[in-house]
Amino acid sequence: MMEKNRRSLYLYPITKHTFREGGNNYIQNLVIALSHEFNIVNNQTSWGLLDVLLKIPKTNIIYLNWIEDIAGKRWAVMQAILLYFIIIISKLLQVKIVWFIHNNLSHFKQNLWLKKIIVTVLARHADVILSHSKAITLKIPPEKHYSFDHPIENFTPVKAIKKPEYDLLIWGRIEPHKGVDDFIKYNYKSDSLLNYKILIAGKFHSQEYYNSLQKFILPNIKIDNRIISEPELMLYLENSKYVLFTYNSPSVLSSAALCKTLSYGKTIIGPDRGSFKELGRKGLIYNYREYNDLKSLLVKLENKNNPVDITKLKLYIEATSWINFTDFLTTTLKSVFKDKVSVVESSLITSYSTELSENK
C-alpha cells in the first residue's frame, strides 16, 4: 500500500543491464536512495518508454537517465516521438519531468542529430535538470539546473606495496569512448612511456575491438580482457602505483570508475575534462591535457613522498557520500512541489554544492 504523503516516481532505466555482472551499480544505488522518500513504481523491464507511458497515471515524477541514448536504439525515431508524447501527457497530468545529465550529449555518434533534438526538447520541458558536474556544455536553463558531485561509497583504502609490479593501471569496461585505443596507439608511436609497465584490466567492448588493437600492443602493456571481480580489482590496485583514465571524448562529464578509485585511496591521473578537471582543481587527482604530458607528470609524482592527500580525500568522500546525495536529491525533487518544501529544506539544495566547492 502506498504510504501517505509519499510521491510516486518512475526511475528510467531499470533493465537487465542494470544488474549486469561487473557493470555500473549506479542505478541500483539510486533505487535505494530514492526509496527513502519516494514510491518507485517500476521494476526491471524490457519495454523501455512504453512502460513509462503505461505507468504515467500512477506517477508523480519521471526521472530520466541517459535518455538521449534512445536515439541509438532500434526504432529510434519512433522512440523519440514516444518520448515527446510522454512529455505532453506528463504536462497535462501535472507529472514532473526530471532529467539527469550524465554526459555532454552521448558518447556514441549514431543518430547524433536526433540526440541533439532530444536534448533540446528536454532542456525546454524538464522541470528539474540534474548533473554530477558543472562542466556542462549543453544549453540548459540555469534556473532549472542543480549539481552534486558523483557520490562515492565508503573510504576503504587499499594497502600500499613498496614495489608494485605496474606503474599504471587502466581498469573498467573498455568502451571506445574511453580512449584506451588511442592511448595504446600513442604508446606504439611514442617511446616516452616504454619504460613504464602498464596493465589494462577489463572486458573489451567487443572481440573485434580487442582484435583491432593487437598489432599496436608493445611489451610494456599487459591486457587482461575479461570482467574483473572485486577481489581481483583490489589486488590489481594494490599492485599498481597509479590509476590512469584515458577518456578523451568531449562528451565525458563524470565517471563511476573514477569515484570507485577515489574510495580506494589511489593516486589518479585523468584528463583535463569534466569532473576529472574539477577534481584536479580541488587537488584530489592529477590532470593531463595530452598524452605527451604523461611522462613529465609521472616524473613529478615520483618525487612526491605522498602524492595523495589522504585527509583531504577523506573529507571529500564524506561530503559526497550516498547519504548526502540522497538528502540533496530528495530535497531537490520535492522542490518541484513547492507547497511541500520548507525554506530550510530549500536551502539544502545549494548547501552541499557550496560545501563541495569550498572543500579544497
Side-chain angles (χ1 to χ4, degrees), residues 11-66:
L11 178 59
Y12 176 95
I14 301 180
T15 70
K16 64 179 181 180
H17 296 293
T18 304
F19 309 98
R20 181 182 60 192
E21 181 186 3
N24 188 341
N25 65 351
Y26 181 87
I27 293 293
Q28 296 179 48
N29 287 335
L30 194 55
V31 168
I32 296 171
L34 291 169
S35 295
H36 288 291
E37 293 287 342
F38 301 93
N39 293 302
I40 298 179
V41 301
N42 60 306
N43 297 303
Q44 179 179 325
T45 181
S46 59
W47 286 27
L49 289 177
L50 182 58
D51 190 59
V52 181
L53 181 63
L54 294 173
K55 289 185 171 64
I56 284 181
K58 56 181 180 181
T59 302
N60 300 122
I61 300 174
I62 297 175
Y63 187 118
L64 302 171
N65 296 274
W66 299 289

Coordinates of all heavy atoms in Angstrom, one line a residue, residues 11-66:
L11 N 11.6 5.6 -12.3 CA 13.1 5.7 -12.5 C 13.5 5.0 -13.8 O 13.3 3.8 -13.9 CB 13.8 5.1 -11.3 CG 15.3 5.1 -11.4 CD1 15.9 6.6 -11.5 CD2 16.0 4.4 -10.2
Y12 N 13.9 5.8 -14.7 CA 14.3 5.2 -16.0 C 15.9 5.3 -16.2 O 16.4 6.4 -15.9 CB 13.7 6.0 -17.2 CG 14.1 5.6 -18.5 CD1 13.4 4.7 -19.3 CD2 15.3 6.1 -19.1 CE1 13.8 4.3 -20.5 CE2 15.7 5.7 -20.4 CZ 15.0 4.8 -21.1 OH 15.4 4.4 -22.3
P13 N 16.5 4.2 -16.6 CA 16.0 2.9 -16.9 C 16.3 1.9 -15.8 O 17.3 2.0 -15.1 CB 16.8 2.5 -18.2 CG 18.2 3.1 -17.9 CD 17.9 4.4 -17.1
I14 N 15.5 0.9 -15.7 CA 15.8 -0.3 -14.9 C 15.6 -1.5 -15.8 O 14.5 -1.9 -16.2 CB 14.9 -0.4 -13.7 CG1 15.0 0.8 -12.8 CG2 15.3 -1.7 -12.9 CD1 14.2 0.7 -11.5
T15 N 16.7 -2.1 -16.3 CA 16.6 -3.2 -17.3 C 17.6 -4.3 -16.8 O 18.2 -4.2 -15.7 CB 17.1 -2.8 -18.7 OG1 18.5 -2.5 -18.6 CG2 16.4 -1.5 -19.1
K16 N 17.7 -5.4 -17.5 CA 18.6 -6.4 -17.1 C 20.0 -6.0 -17.1 O 20.8 -6.5 -16.3 CB 18.4 -7.6 -18.1 CG 18.9 -7.3 -19.5 CD 18.7 -8.5 -20.4 CE 19.2 -8.2 -21.9 NZ 19.0 -9.4 -22.7
H17 N 20.4 -4.9 -17.9 CA 21.7 -4.4 -17.8 C 22.0 -3.7 -16.5 O 23.2 -3.6 -16.1 CB 21.9 -3.5 -19.0 CG 21.8 -4.1 -20.3 ND1 22.7 -5.0 -20.8 CD2 20.9 -4.0 -21.3 CE1 22.4 -5.5 -22.0 NE2 21.3 -4.8 -22.4
T18 N 21.0 -3.3 -15.8 CA 21.2 -2.6 -14.5 C 21.9 -3.6 -13.5 O 22.6 -3.2 -12.6 CB 19.8 -2.2 -13.9 OG1 19.2 -1.3 -14.9 CG2 20.0 -1.5 -12.6
F19 N 21.6 -4.9 -13.7 CA 22.2 -5.9 -12.8 C 23.2 -6.7 -13.4 O 23.5 -7.8 -13.0 CB 21.0 -6.8 -12.3 CG 19.8 -6.0 -11.8 CD1 18.7 -5.7 -12.6 CD2 19.9 -5.4 -10.5 CE1 17.7 -5.0 -12.1 CE2 18.8 -4.7 -10.0 CZ 17.7 -4.4 -10.8
R20 N 23.9 -6.2 -14.5 CA 24.9 -7.0 -15.2 C 26.1 -7.2 -14.4 O 26.6 -6.2 -13.7 CB 25.3 -6.2 -16.5 CG 26.3 -6.8 -17.4 CD 26.6 -5.9 -18.6 NE 27.1 -4.6 -18.1 CZ 27.2 -3.6 -18.9 NH1 26.8 -3.7 -20.2 NH2 27.7 -2.4 -18.5
E21 N 26.7 -8.4 -14.4 CA 27.9 -8.7 -13.7 C 29.0 -7.7 -14.1 O 29.3 -7.6 -15.3 CB 28.3 -10.1 -13.9 CG 29.6 -10.5 -13.1 CD 30.0 -11.9 -13.4 OE1 29.4 -12.6 -14.3 OE2 31.0 -12.3 -12.8
G22 N 29.7 -7.1 -13.2 CA 30.8 -6.2 -13.5 C 30.4 -4.9 -14.0 O 31.2 -4.1 -14.4
G23 N 29.1 -4.6 -14.0 CA 28.5 -3.4 -14.5 C 28.5 -2.3 -13.5 O 28.8 -2.5 -12.3
N24 N 28.0 -1.1 -13.9 CA 27.9 0.0 -13.1 C 26.7 -0.2 -12.1 O 25.6 -0.5 -12.6 CB 27.7 1.3 -13.9 CG 27.7 2.6 -13.2 OD1 27.6 2.6 -11.9 ND2 27.9 3.7 -13.9
N25 N 26.9 0.0 -10.8 CA 25.8 -0.2 -9.8 C 25.1 1.1 -9.5 O 24.4 1.2 -8.5 CB 26.3 -0.9 -8.6 CG 27.4 -0.1 -7.8 OD1 27.8 1.0 -8.3 ND2 27.7 -0.5 -6.6
Y26 N 25.3 2.1 -10.3 CA 24.7 3.4 -10.0 C 23.2 3.4 -9.9 O 22.7 3.9 -8.9 CB 25.1 4.4 -11.1 CG 24.6 5.8 -10.9 CD1 25.4 6.7 -10.2 CD2 23.4 6.2 -11.5 CE1 24.9 8.0 -10.0 CE2 23.0 7.5 -11.3 CZ 23.7 8.4 -10.5 OH 23.3 9.7 -10.3
I27 N 22.5 2.7 -10.8 CA 21.1 2.7 -10.7 C 20.6 1.9 -9.5 O 19.6 2.3 -8.9 CB 20.5 2.1 -12.0 CG1 20.7 3.1 -13.2 CG2 19.0 1.9 -11.9 CD1 20.0 4.4 -13.1
Q28 N 21.3 0.8 -9.2 CA 20.9 0.1 -8.0 C 21.0 0.9 -6.8 O 20.2 0.9 -5.9 CB 21.9 -1.2 -7.9 CG 21.7 -2.2 -9.0 CD 22.7 -3.3 -8.9 OE1 22.8 -3.9 -7.8 NE2 23.4 -3.6 -9.9
N29 N 22.1 1.7 -6.7 CA 22.3 2.6 -5.5 C 21.2 3.7 -5.5 O 20.7 4.1 -4.5 CB 23.7 3.2 -5.5 CG 24.7 2.2 -5.1 OD1 24.5 1.2 -4.4 ND2 26.0 2.5 -5.6
L30 N 20.9 4.1 -6.7 CA 19.9 5.2 -6.9 C 18.5 4.7 -6.4 O 17.7 5.5 -5.8 CB 19.8 5.7 -8.3 CG 19.1 7.0 -8.6 CD1 19.7 8.1 -7.8 CD2 19.2 7.3 -10.1
V31 N 18.2 3.5 -6.7 CA 16.9 2.9 -6.3 C 16.8 3.0 -4.7 O 15.8 3.4 -4.2 CB 16.7 1.4 -6.8 CG1 15.6 0.8 -6.1 CG2 16.5 1.4 -8.3
I32 N 17.9 2.6 -4.1 CA 17.9 2.6 -2.6 C 17.8 4.0 -2.1 O 17.0 4.3 -1.2 CB 19.2 1.9 -2.1 CG1 19.3 0.5 -2.5 CG2 19.4 2.1 -0.6 CD1 20.6 -0.2 -2.3
A33 N 18.5 4.9 -2.7 CA 18.5 6.3 -2.3 C 17.1 6.9 -2.4 O 16.6 7.6 -1.5 CB 19.5 7.1 -3.1
L34 N 16.5 6.7 -3.5 CA 15.2 7.3 -3.8 C 14.0 6.7 -3.0 O 13.0 7.3 -2.7 CB 14.8 7.3 -5.3 CG 15.7 8.2 -6.2 CD1 15.5 7.8 -7.6 CD2 15.4 9.6 -5.9
S35 N 14.2 5.4 -2.7 CA 13.2 4.7 -1.9 C 12.9 5.2 -0.5 O 11.9 4.9 0.1 CB 13.5 3.2 -1.9 OG 13.5 2.6 -3.2
H36 N 13.9 6.0 0.0 CA 13.7 6.6 1.3 C 12.5 7.6 1.3 O 11.8 7.7 2.4 CB 14.9 7.3 1.8 CG 16.1 6.4 2.1 ND1 16.0 5.5 3.2 CD2 17.2 6.1 1.5 CE1 17.2 4.8 3.3 NE2 17.9 5.2 2.2
E37 N 12.3 8.3 0.2 CA 11.3 9.3 0.2 C 10.2 9.1 -0.9 O 9.2 9.8 -0.8 CB 12.0 10.7 0.0 CG 12.9 11.2 1.1 CD 12.1 11.6 2.3 OE1 10.9 11.9 2.2 OE2 12.7 11.7 3.4
F38 N 10.4 8.2 -1.8 CA 9.5 8.1 -2.9 C 9.1 6.6 -3.1 O 9.9 5.7 -2.8 CB 10.1 8.6 -4.2 CG 10.5 10.1 -4.2 CD1 11.8 10.4 -3.8 CD2 9.6 11.0 -4.4 CE1 12.2 11.8 -3.7 CE2 9.9 12.4 -4.4 CZ 11.2 12.7 -4.0
N39 N 7.9 6.4 -3.6 CA 7.5 5.1 -4.1 C 7.9 4.9 -5.5 O 7.4 5.6 -6.4 CB 6.0 4.9 -3.9 CG 5.5 5.0 -2.5 OD1 5.9 4.2 -1.7 ND2 4.7 6.0 -2.2
I40 N 8.9 4.0 -5.8 CA 9.3 3.7 -7.1 C 8.3 2.8 -7.8 O 8.2 1.6 -7.3 CB 10.7 3.2 -7.2 CG1 11.7 4.3 -6.6 CG2 11.2 2.8 -8.6 CD1 13.1 3.9 -6.5
V41 N 7.7 3.2 -8.8 CA 6.5 2.4 -9.4 C 6.9 1.4 -10.4 O 6.1 0.6 -10.8 CB 5.5 3.4 -10.0 CG1 5.0 4.4 -9.0 CG2 6.1 4.1 -11.2
N42 N 8.2 1.4 -10.8 CA 8.6 0.4 -11.9 C 9.7 -0.5 -11.4 O 10.4 -0.3 -10.4 CB 9.1 1.2 -13.1 CG 10.4 2.0 -12.8 OD1 10.3 2.9 -11.9 ND2 11.4 1.9 -13.5
N43 N 9.7 -1.7 -12.1 CA 10.7 -2.7 -11.8 C 11.5 -3.0 -13.1 O 11.3 -2.2 -14.1 CB 10.0 -4.0 -11.3 CG 9.3 -3.8 -10.0 OD1 9.9 -3.4 -9.0 ND2 8.0 -4.1 -10.0
Q44 N 12.3 -4.0 -13.1 CA 13.0 -4.4 -14.3 C 12.1 -4.6 -15.5 O 11.1 -5.3 -15.3 CB 13.9 -5.6 -14.1 CG 14.7 -6.0 -15.3 CD 15.6 -7.3 -15.0 OE1 16.1 -7.4 -13.9 NE2 15.7 -8.1 -15.9
T45 N 12.4 -4.0 -16.6 CA 11.5 -4.2 -17.8 C 12.4 -4.1 -19.1 O 13.4 -3.5 -19.1 CB 10.4 -3.2 -17.8 OG1 9.6 -3.4 -19.0 CG2 11.0 -1.8 -17.9
S46 N 11.8 -4.7 -20.1 CA 12.5 -4.6 -21.5 C 11.6 -3.8 -22.4 O 11.8 -3.7 -23.6 CB 12.7 -6.0 -22.1 OG 11.4 -6.7 -22.2
W47 N 10.5 -3.2 -21.8 CA 9.5 -2.4 -22.6 C 10.0 -1.0 -22.9 O 9.3 -0.3 -23.6 CB 8.2 -2.4 -21.9 CG 7.5 -3.8 -22.0 CD1 8.1 -5.0 -22.2 CD2 6.1 -4.0 -22.0 NE1 7.1 -6.0 -22.3 CE2 5.9 -5.4 -22.2 CE3 5.0 -3.1 -21.9 CZ2 4.6 -5.9 -22.2 CZ3 3.7 -3.7 -22.0 CH2 3.5 -5.1 -22.1
G48 N 11.0 -0.5 -22.2 CA 11.5 0.8 -22.5 C 10.5 1.9 -22.2 O 9.8 1.9 -21.2
L49 N 10.4 2.9 -23.1 CA 9.5 4.0 -22.9 C 8.0 3.6 -22.9 O 7.2 4.4 -22.3 CB 9.7 5.1 -24.0 CG 11.1 5.8 -23.9 CD1 11.3 6.8 -25.0 CD2 11.2 6.6 -22.5
L50 N 7.7 2.5 -23.5 CA 6.3 2.1 -23.5 C 5.9 1.8 -22.0 O 4.7 2.1 -21.6 CB 6.1 0.8 -24.3 CG 4.7 0.3 -24.4 CD1 3.7 1.3 -25.0 CD2 4.6 -1.0 -25.3
D51 N 6.8 1.3 -21.2 CA 6.5 1.0 -19.8 C 6.3 2.3 -19.1 O 5.4 2.4 -18.2 CB 7.6 0.2 -19.2 CG 7.3 -0.3 -17.8 OD1 6.3 -1.0 -17.6 OD2 8.0 0.1 -16.8
V52 N 7.1 3.4 -19.4 CA 6.9 4.7 -18.8 C 5.5 5.2 -19.1 O 4.7 5.7 -18.2 CB 7.9 5.7 -19.4 CG1 7.7 7.1 -18.7 CG2 9.3 5.2 -19.1
L53 N 5.1 5.1 -20.4 CA 3.8 5.6 -20.8 C 2.6 4.9 -20.0 O 1.7 5.5 -19.6 CB 3.6 5.3 -22.3 CG 2.3 5.8 -23.0 CD1 2.1 7.3 -22.8 CD2 2.2 5.3 -24.4
L54 N 2.7 3.6 -19.9 CA 1.7 2.8 -19.2 C 1.6 3.1 -17.7 O 0.5 3.0 -17.1 CB 2.0 1.3 -19.3 CG 1.9 0.7 -20.8 CD1 2.3 -0.7 -20.8 CD2 0.5 0.9 -21.3
K55 N 2.7 3.6 -17.1 CA 2.7 3.9 -15.7 C 2.5 5.4 -15.3 O 2.5 5.7 -14.2 CB 3.9 3.3 -15.0 CG 4.0 1.8 -15.0 CD 5.2 1.3 -14.2 CE 5.1 -0.2 -14.0 NZ 5.1 -1.0 -15.2
I56 N 2.4 6.2 -16.3 CA 2.2 7.6 -16.1 C 1.0 7.9 -15.1 O 1.1 8.8 -14.2 CB 2.0 8.4 -17.4 CG1 3.4 8.6 -18.1 CG2 1.4 9.8 -17.1 CD1 3.3 9.4 -19.4
P57 N -0.2 7.2 -15.3 CA -1.3 7.6 -14.4 C -1.0 7.4 -12.9 O -1.7 8.0 -12.1 CB -2.4 6.6 -14.9 CG -2.0 6.3 -16.3 CD -0.5 6.3 -16.3
K58 N -0.1 6.6 -12.5 CA 0.2 6.4 -11.1 C 1.6 6.9 -10.7 O 2.2 6.5 -9.8 CB 0.1 4.9 -10.7 CG 1.0 4.0 -11.5 CD 0.8 2.5 -11.0 CE 1.6 1.5 -11.7 NZ 1.4 0.1 -11.2
T59 N 2.0 7.9 -11.5 CA 3.4 8.5 -11.3 C 3.3 10.0 -11.1 O 2.5 10.7 -11.7 CB 4.3 8.3 -12.5 OG1 4.4 6.9 -12.8 CG2 5.6 8.8 -12.3
N60 N 4.1 10.5 -10.1 CA 4.2 12.0 -9.9 C 5.4 12.6 -10.5 O 5.4 13.7 -10.9 CB 4.2 12.3 -8.4 CG 3.0 11.8 -7.6 OD1 3.1 11.1 -6.7 ND2 1.8 12.3 -8.1
I61 N 6.5 11.8 -10.6 CA 7.8 12.2 -11.1 C 8.3 11.2 -12.1 O 8.3 10.0 -11.8 CB 8.8 12.5 -10.0 CG1 8.3 13.5 -9.0 CG2 10.1 12.9 -10.6 CD1 9.2 13.7 -7.8
I62 N 8.8 11.6 -13.3 CA 9.5 10.7 -14.2 C 11.0 11.2 -14.2 O 11.3 12.3 -14.5 CB 8.9 10.8 -15.6 CG1 7.5 10.3 -15.6 CG2 9.8 9.9 -16.6 CD1 6.8 10.4 -17.0
Y63 N 11.8 10.3 -13.8 CA 13.3 10.6 -13.5 C 14.1 9.9 -14.6 O 14.2 8.7 -14.6 CB 13.6 10.1 -12.2 CG 15.0 10.4 -11.6 CD1 15.2 11.2 -10.5 CD2 16.2 9.9 -12.3 CE1 16.4 11.5 -10.0 CE2 17.4 10.2 -11.8 CZ 17.5 11.0 -10.6 OH 18.8 11.3 -10.1
L64 N 14.6 10.6 -15.6 CA 15.3 10.1 -16.8 C 16.8 10.1 -16.7 O 17.4 11.2 -16.5 CB 14.8 10.9 -18.0 CG 13.3 10.9 -18.3 CD1 13.0 11.9 -19.4 CD2 12.8 9.5 -18.6
N65 N 17.4 9.0 -16.9 CA 18.9 8.9 -17.0 C 19.2 8.4 -18.4 O 18.6 7.5 -18.9 CB 19.4 7.9 -16.0 CG 19.1 8.3 -14.6 OD1 19.9 9.0 -14.0 ND2 18.0 7.8 -14.0
W66 N 20.3 9.0 -19.0 CA 20.8 8.6 -20.3 C 19.7 8.4 -21.3 O 19.8 7.6 -22.3 CB 21.5 7.2 -20.2 CG 22.7 7.2 -19.2 CD1 23.9 7.8 -19.4 CD2 22.8 6.6 -17.9 NE1 24.7 7.6 -18.3 CE2 24.0 6.9 -17.4 CE3 21.9 5.8 -17.2 CZ2 24.5 6.4 -16.2 CZ3 22.3 5.4 -15.9 CH2 23.6 5.7 -15.4

